[in-house]
Amino acid sequence: MRFGNFAKTTAAAAIVLSGAVSATAVSPGTAQAAGVWDRLAKCESGGNWSINTGNGYYGGLQFSRATWAAYGGERFHRYPHRATREQQIAIAEVLRAANGGFSAWPACARKLGLPR
């Protein structure tokens, strides 16, 4: 594990555990980074951050309950689709940092040209 990834994961985890989440805290200084998550959500869920289609995936980024819980999402809400956009992005940042890319969203990452 490279230190850079460790630092990102640690910072994101600290944000999640503290519950202090804002758009700037999730992706420091970058509206562009938030734009990536909005584009990914548009592909995954039509951009509906509160969607529950009954397919076992929830929210704008279509988290499974197991993934949501494993990466700290239950601190915000039991179900991803009931968490705010910013909270969903915070968990997605932790997941992305742990995987070193957007591999948790393979089809949309490929479609959007995001690193997997």
Side-chain angles (χ1 to χ4, degrees), residues 12-109:
I15 292 167
V16 170
L17 293 176
S18 73
V21 176
S22 70
T24 55
V26 171
S27 300
T30 64
Q32 181 182 9
V36 169
W37 292 115
D38 285 329
R39 287 186 6 241
L40 192 59
K42 178 117 174 106
C43 179
E44 289 286 335
S45 66
N48 184 346
W49 292 91
S50 61
I51 196 166
N52 174 7
T53 60
N55 66 355
Y57 295 92
Y58 306 89
L61 299 170
Q62 293 292 277
F63 289 100
S64 69
R65 284 251 313 110
T67 299
W68 180 252
Y71 288 88
E74 288 187 336
R75 175 155 309 275
F76 300 122
H77 204 285
R78 186 167 180 213
Y79 286 93
H81 68 289
R82 293 184 178 157
T84 67
R85 171 186 171 273
E86 290 77 15
Q87 292 167 340
Q88 291 179 50
I89 291 172
I91 300 306
E93 286 282 357
V94 175
L95 178 57
R96 184 199 52 76
N99 290 334
F102 294 86
S103 62
W105 305 274
C108 288

